[in-house]
Amino acid sequence: MSYNSADVSSFKDIWVFCEQRDGMLMETDFELLSEGRKLAHERGAQLVGLLLGENVKGLVKELGGYGADRVIVCDDPRLKIYTTDAYTKVICDAVMERKPEVLLLGASNIGRDLGPRCAARLHTGLTADCTHLDIEMTKYVEFLKEASTLDTEAIGFDMQDVNLKMTRPAFGGHLMATIICPRFRPCMSTVRPGVLKKDDFDRAKSEACVMEIYPVKLTESDLKTKVLRTVKETRELVDLLGAEVVVAVGRGISKDIEKGISLAKELADALGGGVLGASRAVIDSGWLSADHQVGQTGKTVRSRIYVALGISGAIQHVSGMQNAEHIIAINKSETAPIFDVATYGITGDLFKVVPLMIESLKEAN
Ligand SMILES: Cc1cc2nc3c(=O)[nH]c(=O)nc-3n(C[C@H](O)[C@H](O)[C@H](O)COP(=O)(O)OP(=O)(O)OC[C@H]3O[C@@H](n4cnc5c(N)ncnc54)[C@H](O)[C@@H]3O)c2cc1C
């Protein structure tokens, strides 16, 4: 098999690594497929899911419903539980043989481990932790303005001049960097869970999706680690990603931490099954566990309601909650930047304002 990552014209199609754990697909898979669908449409390419695991064929139609034209299934008992060696080997084999133009992975713990390994082995570039993807069409549009035909060959336009634009926060989140990988393929990117919008499930697309079984070639020497047992953390983690309502606390609760947290929980309940979030200041101070963190180095939420209690609104926090539908900010400083993104802002002491909100909500219910 000849593989040369610099031979960019021999690569085509958009691939999405579809992560599953215990036979359950991740929400990020659907977000990536929905975005991948748009990219594939613009490139006139196929959208292909890459699914690794054991007995996972039953998941193919679900991936089709979110846009995959085809799903390549690598089914093997040695892929049941994720290991870096086995997954890297199988993915790189498939990529070297089929040569996709783009390979997208979720920036989950697994994606963050797997992406760089594969990129190094495939001799290509990777943009980690992206928040936005786009196809660079500028040159194409310029050509079309001059041309009288859509036939790119006839106008001498090289479609390989079209690049995937991968955007991610840089310099501590103070600016957004857009990165391209013009000389090598595939263009690889890990994308933060929750930032891309997932489409609705489409039954017709699901039915039309084609499954392809890829022969897994693994030998004992490919596997350097063995998972002996998996110990699940018994503590219940908060589900910020799927939450409809998030009430988040910041350093503004420092006057009485326990009271601040319990008020936030009470408000979350009064708003209807809300989930407790936090700024990084709260996590770094050890007041709440890391799974509560919202922001650039935490989770990205798209809740219907987001309440920020005593949070200043630093760019790194805002990048994780600005897509919420209704943002309610309570801060004692009227110049706090959180008010710039808030739908409703209340200037005041959270310890006085929140009990009044809870009371009115209880009365209204
Ligand atoms: C690389 C990098 C990544 C980062 N990632 C994240 C991230 O993922 N998430 C994140 O949140 N941060 C992140 N940060 C940190 C971020 O820059 C801020 O330091 C942090 O968000 C501040 O948290 P805060 O708003 O709770 O605290 P502060 O900035 O200290 O703000 C506290 C606010 O509370 C208000 N207040 C005080 N008392 C009261 C009261 N009684 N009632 C009402 N309001 C009150 C104050 O007016 C103030 O606005 C990151 C930073 C870096 C450099």
Side-chain angles (χ1 to χ4, degrees):
M1 158 185 23
S2 77
Y3 174 78
N4 175 4
S5 62
D7 179 16
V8 295
S9 62
S10 63
F11 288 72
K12 69 170 179 41
D13 291 341
I14 311 285
W15 280 24
V16 171
F17 167 67
C18 300
E19 185 180 328
Q20 58 80 28
R21 295 185 200 175
D22 297 331
M24 297 280 291
L25 292 165
M26 305 279 110
E27 278 293 298
T28 328
D29 301 334
F30 310 137
E31 294 162 9
L32 288 176
L33 286 171
S34 303
E35 187 67 19
R37 187 67 263 152
K38 290 178 211 143
L39 300 176
H41 180 69
E42 286 193 45
R43 290 297 275 132
Q46 275 219 322
L47 178 64
V48 180
L50 182 60
L51 179 64
L52 276 65
E54 186 189 21
N55 296 329
V56 287
K57 291 176 200 147
L59 302 174
V60 167
K61 292 289 171 198
E62 200 175 351
L63 296 171
Y66 289 97
D69 296 306
R70 195 154 49 90
V71 176
I72 297 176
V73 178
C74 306
D75 207 301
D76 190 286
R78 291 164 293 181
L79 299 173
K80 182 178 164 64
I81 297 173
Y82 171 77
T83 60
T84 313
D85 302 325
Y87 271 55
T88 303
K89 167 78 170 55
V90 173
I91 291 175
C92 290
D93 280 353
V95 168
M96 285 179 177
E97 195 183 318
R98 303 295 172 84
K99 300 185 188 161
E101 186 180 28
V102 171
L103 174 57
L104 306 175
L105 301 93
S108 61
N109 291 342
I110 287 180
R112 283 177 175 162
D113 180 55
L114 190 56
R117 290 283 185 124
C118 292
R121 205 169 284 186
L122 294 166
H123 301 286
T124 188
L126 170 102
T127 306
D129 247 1
C130 290
T131 53
H132 185 73
L133 298 171
D134 207 353
I135 294 274
E136 159 74 275
M137 295 298 275
T138 324
K139 284 190 184 174
Y140 186 43
V141 171
E142 287 306 310
F143 259 87
L144 286 184
K145 270 190 211 156
E146 305 291 318
S148 53
T149 167
L150 288 177
D151 183 343
T152 48
E153 267 179 43
I155 59 174
F157 178 80
D158 185 354
M159 278 308 272
Q160 299 313 318
D161 279 346
V162 179
N163 276 291
L164 180 68
K165 293 200 289 182
M166 300 168 276
T167 303
R168 55 152 297 150
F171 293 103
H174 288 283
L175 59 85
M176 300 303 279
T178 297
I179 295 162
I180 57 169
C181 178
R183 289 192 295 125
F184 299 100
R185 293 290 181 270
C187 300
M188 285 187 63
S189 167
T190 59
V191 183
R192 288 180 61 101
V195 295
L196 301 175
K197 207 164 178 297
K198 97 172 172 186
D199 290 338
D200 292 335
F201 181 85
D202 184 324
R203 189 159 297 280
K205 278 189 199 156
S206 161
E207 295 301 325
C209 178
V210 175
M211 173 166 67
E212 182 192 337
I213 304 293
Y214 185 81
V216 173
K217 291 180 215 97
L218 279 175
T219 60
E220 282 311 302
S221 63
D222 294 325
L223 309 171
K224 295 178 188 67
T225 51
K226 205 177 237 177
V227 179
L228 297 180
R229 74 193 166 105
T230 311
V231 182
K232 293 225 167 107
E233 199 169 9
T234 47
R235 186 169 59 89
E236 208 179 307
L237 299 174
V238 288
D239 180 17
L240 280 170
L241 290 179
E244 279 274 290
V245 176
V246 176
V247 178
V249 290
R251 207 182 334 244
I253 60 164
S254 59
K255 198 166 72 180
D256 187 341
I257 299 150
E258 232 172 86
K259 175 95 184 290
I261 291 173
S262 89
L263 279 175
K265 280 185 182 162
E266 235 184 290
L267 180 58
D269 283 344
L271 284 167
V275 164
L276 185 63
S279 72
R280 177 154 150 187
V282 169
I283 311 304
D284 288 349
S285 306
W287 301 340
L288 284 171
S289 56
D291 51 312
H292 292 86
Q293 188 182 320
V294 174
Q296 187 191 318
T297 40
K299 306 258 170 52
T300 303
V301 299
R302 279 185 174 271
S303 51
R304 197 166 46 80
I305 300 175
Y306 187 88
V307 188
L309 303 177
I311 293 177
S312 59
I315 178 92
Q316 297 89 354
H317 184 81
V318 169
S319 67
M321 44 67 82
Q322 63 193 349
N323 288 329
E325 223 172 297
H326 303 285
I327 298 170
I328 303 163
I330 300 162
N331 196 299
K332 68 178 184 186
S333 161
E334 63 183 37
T335 57
I338 192 77
F339 290 130
D340 297 340
V341 291
T343 327
Y344 305 101
I346 302 169
T347 311
D349 183 345
L350 71 93
F351 292 98
K352 292 187 182 143
V353 177
V354 177
L356 297 175
M357 287 173 81
I358 295 168
E359 208 179 291
S360 338
L361 282 164
K362 280 185 179 162
E363 270 172 28
N365 290 331

